Amino acid sequence: MKSMDPLPMLAIALPARGSRTLARSLHGQLLAAIRSGRLAPGLRLPATRALAGHLGISRNSVIAAYESLAAEGHVMARTGSGHYVADTPARAPARATPVPARARERRLNAAHRGLAAPDDMVDPPRAPFDFRLGVPDTAALPFDAWRRLSARALRSMARGVPGYVGPAGQPALRAAIAAHASLTRAVACTADDVLVTAGAQQAFDLLARVLVTPGKTVVAVEDPGYPPTRAAFAAAGAVIVPVPVDDDGLRVDLLPRDAHIVCVTPSHQFPLGCVLSAARRRALLAFARRRQAVVVEDDYDGEFRFEPRPLDALQTLDDDAAVSYVGTFSKSLFPALRLGYVIAPPWARAALMLARQRADWHGNLHAQDTLAAFIAEGHLARHVRRMRGVYGERRRVLLAGIARDLGRWLAPVPGCAGLHVGTRTIVDLDLARVVERARAAGVNVDRIGRYALGGDVADGLLFGYGAIEAAAIPRALATLKRALAQA
Amino acid sequence: MKSMDPLPMLAIALPARGSRTLARSLHGQLLAAIRSGRLAPGLRLPATRALAGHLGISRNSVIAAYESLAAEGHVMARTGSGHYVADTPARAPARATPVPARARERRLNAAHRGLAAPDDMVDPPRAPFDFRLGVPDTAALPFDAWRRLSARALRSMARGVPGYVGPAGQPALRAAIAAHASLTRAVACTADDVLVTAGAQQAFDLLARVLVTPGKTVVAVEDPGYPPTRAAFAAAGAVIVPVPVDDDGLRVDLLPRDAHIVCVTPSHQFPLGCVLSAARRRALLAFARRRQAVVVEDDYDGEFRFEPRPLDALQTLDDDAAVSYVGTFSKSLFPALRLGYVIAPPWARAALMLARQRADWHGNLHAQDTLAAFIAEGHLARHVRRMRGVYGERRRVLLAGIARDLGRWLAPVPGCAGLHVGTRTIVDLDLARVVERARAAGVNVDRIGRYALGGDVADGLLFGYGAIEAAAIPRALATLKRALAQA
């Protein structure tokens, strides 16, 4: 532990001693490694002393080799910080040789050929007035508490570093989630029912793995709906059937008779924002019982409710073990945490655990331990309560502003929860152009049409209020009004 | 933010005011929630003040409701810490009602029916003398540095909480991994080639998703071999074909002509411990070129090499973009971190990124940022170097002890890397019984037979040295000698 330099572990074979030969051999091998791209441009080479010690040769041999490389321009010496691989234009990395890319790509299965990296993988840059969907406001996160609990979890882990554990999640976190889901969403569960996942997306993925028979299983999804959910089921080979949505949520009466899985967002339909009515809830559960179907309830932002009337989870009404309830901390805390959960019926649990183990064994334990303590100490509940006030205020300002400024063009979809409001056009409009014009004027707003699956979906604008302060909403709407007036 | 109690967010609908009616209605709804299991035994109820504030009723109404529940035994009051749901035997939770479990289980696809939660999900308890496989020694981990960098990463994150990011991993971590893999394993790569995964297991899973066509794709795996790798490919619908292994690694000459994917552990075959010979490496790459096949190189503990002769990764020799190199930090640091990576050819990258996004979007960013800084500051390299010394000493003691004490029964498989030594029996032995007898005497040792896929695999004992100190090895082997002598 004497050197602060990176470890010299480059695989190098040297001839019997003799400093000239050694230096020449070392030089040749490093050069080959640089030319082939094994040692990439910008990489710091091991310190001469460390490399000499590692190879069991004199430091002078290493210095001689480095100096030759530097003289040839393959390596740059920076005073006080060592030697770096140069970015020589002469270098022809192995990766750059022309390859018959098409032929190679045929090694992929049909579903994965010819893809470019999708463009919606990273959040787009913030706009001055930003109604983007699906992001919470993190300014008021109690990061001091998080930091303290994170450090505590790490100290505890250092005292007894865990090996591989079970895939269901840390017991303390499962218990904390069960209490949280019981209290905030009236979900019927105990810790044993909770499977911790890497965000809601992994819950959909695991459910798809254990429920879908490729090419056979029919999965009903909301249209318009949340694309990543259906992508997970489609990737598992499901037959996706879009089902219309109206102001009372999913049109349960239009479910295909052979639907084996129904994916639904009952508390706050994505993207419309409406609530699945009580009658539809009963009808959906009756359908599930009759057809032995499975309901996947995506409750992505149901913690944020703005009306006193109760809005229990669909799972609460289920007495037939048909509903798998999916929750996430991406909206109540922050997405980069990548923690969510599925509360599944007992018959699905062993299968889901096995699927999780095959997928990634189990999640990062430090994050799980931190979150468990954060919930147990009441920070999550307090943060949700505080943010309910913040979001409720934004929602009021937004709805009033829409009525005042945009009522000629748009009517809000009724709803009472979540982090965005949906509206529908009441006159003929090219909303794609409106969105473009608004963006040019500094307002980022989304539209329903982007989430349609090809059905006859009425378009409308979508107003997320996770990324915009109440005070900024009136000006944003005034700008949007001008964009609409030009349409 | 006045109360330290959990947030009262239980969904409750109350009649118009009137404290008697209110208390009775609240009592009834809480009781129903307790009876149905929505409020689980042991759950702390919201503080009376908080619940009263939330519901907009008097605190006396809440106290009255709680007192009725306590009098009936549904709730227990603990002095100074509030009210808890009691574990009353009378309670009949919804989950406990008899259900036609078989009928419900038919909702799962055929591959996931009738499973019990597998018993190998959690590491078994430590034995006094423990030769278990696959776990590193974490006693010397530089946890102080990890803690410092973890806190720094969190402070930086608090200044600008990230939203959803790309699935490939944090840029700084990808760059750090590229440098690490170049230096330690001579892997040809730049940061762009690196896809960060949730451990090596997720890398196998993502490769299976993008490469396998269900029911068609033939995947050759080593026999004996690592079960979780083949489980990932089998779950994707691959046709698994076991291929024998000898002292020079995978019998490349016995690969099925239609193998589209070859899974191999070239630096340290799991579980035998041997090295894929140079001739076999060339033959394998020639096979891949001829058959347009893909090689999945699992380099799970190749950082730990104990001979001066170079042992480059197979990927280093690949000039046909056939090899996907999979690495992990589970052995060089610790498994609970759940971070690994795949260095894949360019033609596979967009597909893998899309598959990762569908699987879980991206990993926990805090852990990635911490690891990136840990590598960049040289802590990983120093830790690997130090542990190479520690493991090398254990390996020497172990090999000498096996030769001295167990040479009558066992011959070591030649190898030069990794965290375990494989041996083969040279006389007829019932090793399952030997393992059992050894465990009863306090020695945990594994055997090759457990990793056989049904082929004619010679059995032998496997000695991991991640969980046993050098000083304990002689006594462990002496105990084992007695167990063998009784066989």
Side-chain angles (χ1 to χ4, degrees):
Chain A
M1 304 293 283
K2 281 171 202 145
S3 158
M4 285 298 290
D5 294 295
L7 180 67
M9 283 187 294
L10 184 66
I12 282 171
L14 292 173
R17 320 224 147 199
S19 70
R20 279 278 172 76
T21 330
L22 277 172
R24 215 179 307 138
S25 172
L26 182 59
H27 166 268
Q29 290 181 65
L30 289 170
L31 180 58
I34 291 169
R35 284 205 167 126
S36 72
R38 276 166 53 188
L39 293 178
L43 186 73
R44 187 167 72 168
L45 291 177
T48 52
R49 189 190 307 274
L51 185 57
H54 175 68
L55 296 172
I57 63 178
S58 80
R59 196 175 161 207
N60 282 341
S61 300
V62 178
I63 291 174
Y66 279 17
E67 282 177 351
S68 298
L69 289 167
E72 295 153 5
H74 299 295
V75 155
M76 289 177 313
R78 288 188 203 149
T79 315
S81 83
H83 292 78
Y84 293 78
V85 177
D87 197 0
T88 44
R91 206 181 59 90
R95 288 286 180 254
T97 51
V99 293
R102 292 258 166 227
R104 280 175 182 162
E105 212 183 291
R106 255 178 271 131
R107 289 162 167 164
L108 298 167
N109 59 26
H112 288 89
R113 261 171 231 157
L115 296 169
D119 59 359
D120 62 349
M121 287 189 162
V122 184
D123 288 342
R126 298 267 164 150
F129 299 97
D130 209 329
F131 289 115
R132 72 177 57 207
L133 303 181
V135 296
D137 191 331
T138 53
L141 271 176
F143 251 108
D144 284 346
W146 187 271
R147 265 205 302 273
R148 180 172 54 78
L149 297 172
S150 170
R152 197 174 79 187
L154 210 46
R155 277 194 304 275
S156 156
M157 186 177 279
R159 282 194 295 273
V161 182
Y164 292 91
V165 302
Q170 293 287 71
L173 180 56
R174 296 171 77 192
I177 288 174
H180 174 75
S182 299
L183 274 174
T184 64
R185 307 293 300 117
V187 169
C189 66
T190 67
D192 288 342
D193 300 306
V194 176
L195 175 66
V196 178
T197 58
Q201 187 63 25
Q202 190 180 45
F204 303 136
D205 184 61
L206 296 178
L207 287 164
R209 285 167 183 246
V210 307
L211 294 171
V212 171
T213 302
K216 294 210 175 122
T217 303
V218 172
V219 177
V221 300
E222 297 170 321
D223 186 19
Y226 183 60
T229 309
R230 64 176 182 257
F233 283 93
V239 179
I240 304 289
V241 177
V243 176
V245 177
D246 65 19
D247 281 4
D248 285 328
L250 181 75
R251 286 284 304 270
V252 175
D253 57 316
L254 297 180
L255 281 174
R257 283 174 54 85
D258 59 349
H260 180 62
I261 302 169
V262 183
C263 295
V264 64
T265 48
S267 345
H268 187 228
Q269 204 275 333
F270 189 92
L272 293 187
C274 52
V275 182
L276 189 67
S277 71
R280 297 257 177 101
R281 285 170 193 242
R282 284 192 298 273
L284 178 54
L285 293 175
F287 175 91
R289 181 188 292 272
R290 208 160 54 236
R291 317 294 317 169
Q292 284 292 298
V294 175
V295 177
V296 176
E297 173 174 24
D298 176 6
D299 197 24
Y300 61 105
D301 61 4
E303 283 116 334
F304 299 108
R305 288 194 315 280
F306 309 106
E307 289 183 16
R309 74 175 169 113
L311 178 69
D312 284 0
L314 181 61
Q315 194 262 12
T316 314
L317 303 173
D318 172 29
D319 56 4
D320 189 39
V323 177
S324 282
Y325 173 92
V326 176
T328 178
F329 297 100
S330 293
K331 310 297 181 265
S332 53
L333 292 171
F334 55 99
L337 185 55
R338 306 309 305 131
L339 282 172
Y341 53 95
V342 52
I343 294 170
W347 55 263
R349 217 171 292 151
L352 287 168
M353 284 171 69
L354 190 76
R356 170 87 206 242
Q357 194 185 43
R358 284 172 179 168
D360 63 1
W361 216 278
H362 58 74
N364 177 290
L365 299 190
H366 178 208
Q368 291 193 27
D369 291 345
T370 305
L371 179 58
F374 190 84
I375 298 176
E377 287 197 358
H379 300 291
L380 175 66
R382 272 195 297 283
H383 180 63
V384 168
R385 178 163 52 174
R386 164 192 275 229
M387 293 314 293
R388 194 145 29 103
V390 171
Y391 294 138
E393 168 69 8
R394 293 181 188 178
R395 186 181 174 90
R396 274 189 297 279
V397 173
L398 180 62
L399 286 170
I402 290 172
R404 189 182 56 236
D405 290 341
L406 314 179
R408 251 199 293 161
W409 300 281
L410 300 170
V413 180
C416 62
L419 294 185
H420 76 268
V421 161
T423 66
R424 288 208 198 79
T425 53
I426 50 178
V427 292
D428 216 29
L429 274 174
D430 179 356
L431 279 191
R433 285 199 53 206
V434 171
V435 164
E436 216 172 280
R437 209 176 295 129
R439 181 169 265 283
V443 177
N444 179 28
V445 66
D446 209 341
R447 63 189 184 86
I448 293 171
R450 290 215 312 131
Y451 303 96
L453 260 172
D456 189 20
V457 169
D459 209 352
L461 292 183
L462 301 167
F463 297 86
Y465 39 84
I468 189 166
E469 308 240 0
I473 290 175
R475 255 185 74 194
L477 294 182
T479 308
L480 200 52
K481 182 180 184 176
R482 284 192 295 276
L484 279 159
Q486 289 168 29
Chain B
M1 304 291 283
K2 281 170 203 147
S3 159
M4 285 298 290
D5 295 295
L7 180 66
M9 283 189 294
L10 183 67
I12 280 172
L14 291 174
R17 319 223 147 200
S19 71
R20 279 281 171 76
T21 331
L22 277 172
R24 214 179 307 139
S25 171
L26 181 58
H27 166 269
Q29 290 181 66
L30 289 170
L31 180 58
I34 291 169
R35 283 204 166 126
S36 71
R38 275 166 53 187
L39 293 177
L43 185 74
R44 186 168 71 169
L45 292 177
T48 51
R49 189 190 308 275
L51 185 57
H54 175 68
L55 296 172
I57 63 178
S58 80
R59 196 174 162 208
N60 282 342
S61 300
V62 178
I63 291 175
Y66 279 17
E67 282 178 352
S68 299
L69 290 168
E72 294 153 5
H74 297 295
V75 155
M76 289 179 312
R78 289 187 203 149
T79 316
S81 84
H83 291 80
Y84 293 78
V85 177
D87 198 1
T88 45
R91 206 180 60 89
R95 289 287 181 253
T97 52
V99 292
R102 291 258 166 227
R104 281 174 181 163
E105 212 182 291
R106 257 178 269 130
R107 288 163 167 165
L108 297 168
N109 58 26
H112 288 89
R113 261 172 231 158
L115 296 169
D119 60 359
D120 62 348
M121 286 188 162
V122 185
D123 288 342
R126 299 266 163 150
F129 299 97
D130 209 327
F131 290 114
R132 72 178 57 208
L133 303 181
V135 295
D137 191 331
T138 53
L141 270 176
F143 251 108
D144 285 345
W146 187 271
R147 266 205 301 275
R148 180 173 52 78
L149 297 172
S150 169
R152 197 174 78 188
L154 209 46
R155 276 195 305 275
S156 155
M157 185 177 281
R159 282 194 296 272
V161 182
Y164 292 91
V165 302
Q170 293 286 71
L173 180 57
R174 297 171 77 193
I177 288 174
H180 174 75
S182 298
L183 272 174
T184 65
R185 305 295 299 118
V187 168
C189 66
T190 68
D192 288 342
D193 299 306
V194 176
L195 176 65
V196 178
T197 57
Q201 187 63 26
Q202 190 179 45
F204 303 136
D205 184 61
L206 297 178
L207 287 164
R209 285 167 183 247
V210 307
L211 294 171
V212 170
T213 302
K216 294 210 174 124
T217 304
V218 172
V219 177
V221 300
E222 296 170 321
D223 186 18
Y226 183 60
T229 309
R230 63 175 182 258
F233 283 94
V239 180
I240 304 289
V241 177
V243 176
V245 177
D246 65 18
D247 281 6
D248 285 328
L250 181 75
R251 287 285 304 271
V252 176
D253 57 316
L254 297 181
L255 281 173
R257 284 174 54 86
D258 59 348
H260 179 62
I261 301 169
V262 183
C263 296
V264 65
T265 48
S267 345
H268 187 228
Q269 204 276 332
F270 189 93
L272 294 186
C274 52
V275 181
L276 188 66
S277 71
R280 297 258 177 100
R281 286 170 192 241
R282 284 191 300 272
L284 178 54
L285 293 175
F287 175 92
R289 182 188 292 273
R290 207 163 52 237
R291 317 295 315 170
Q292 283 291 298
V294 175
V295 177
V296 176
E297 173 174 25
D298 176 8
D299 197 24
Y300 61 105
D301 61 4
E303 283 116 333
F304 299 108
R305 288 195 314 280
F306 310 106
E307 290 183 14
R309 76 176 167 111
L311 178 68
D312 284 0
L314 181 61
Q315 193 263 12
T316 314
L317 303 173
D318 172 29
D319 56 3
D320 189 40
V323 177
S324 282
Y325 173 92
V326 176
T328 177
F329 296 99
S330 294
K331 310 296 180 266
S332 53
L333 291 171
F334 55 100
L337 184 56
R338 306 310 303 131
L339 282 171
Y341 54 95
V342 52
I343 294 170
W347 55 263
R349 215 171 294 152
L352 287 168
M353 284 170 70
L354 190 76
R356 170 89 206 242
Q357 195 185 42
R358 283 172 180 169
D360 64 0
W361 216 278
H362 58 74
N364 177 289
L365 299 190
H366 179 207
Q368 291 193 26
D369 291 345
T370 305
L371 179 57
F374 190 83
I375 299 175
E377 287 197 358
H379 300 292
L380 174 66
R382 272 195 297 282
H383 180 63
V384 168
R385 177 164 54 174
R386 164 191 275 228
M387 293 315 292
R388 195 147 28 105
V390 171
Y391 294 138
E393 168 67 8
R394 294 180 188 178
R395 186 181 174 90
R396 274 189 297 278
V397 172
L398 179 62
L399 286 170
I402 290 172
R404 189 183 55 237
D405 289 343
L406 314 180
R408 249 199 294 161
W409 301 280
L410 300 169
V413 179
C416 63
L419 295 186
H420 76 268
V421 161
T423 67
R424 287 208 201 79
T425 53
I426 52 178
V427 292
D428 216 29
L429 274 174
D430 178 357
L431 279 192
R433 285 200 54 205
V434 170
V435 165
E436 216 171 278
R437 209 176 294 126
R439 180 167 265 283
V443 177
N444 179 28
V445 67
D446 208 341
R447 63 188 184 85
I448 293 171
R450 291 214 312 130
Y451 303 96
L453 260 172
D456 189 21
V457 169
D459 210 352
L461 292 182
L462 301 167
F463 298 86
Y465 39 84
I468 190 166
E469 308 240 0
I473 290 174
R475 257 185 73 194
L477 295 182
T479 308
L480 201 51
K481 182 180 184 177
R482 285 192 294 277
L484 279 158
Q486 289 169 28

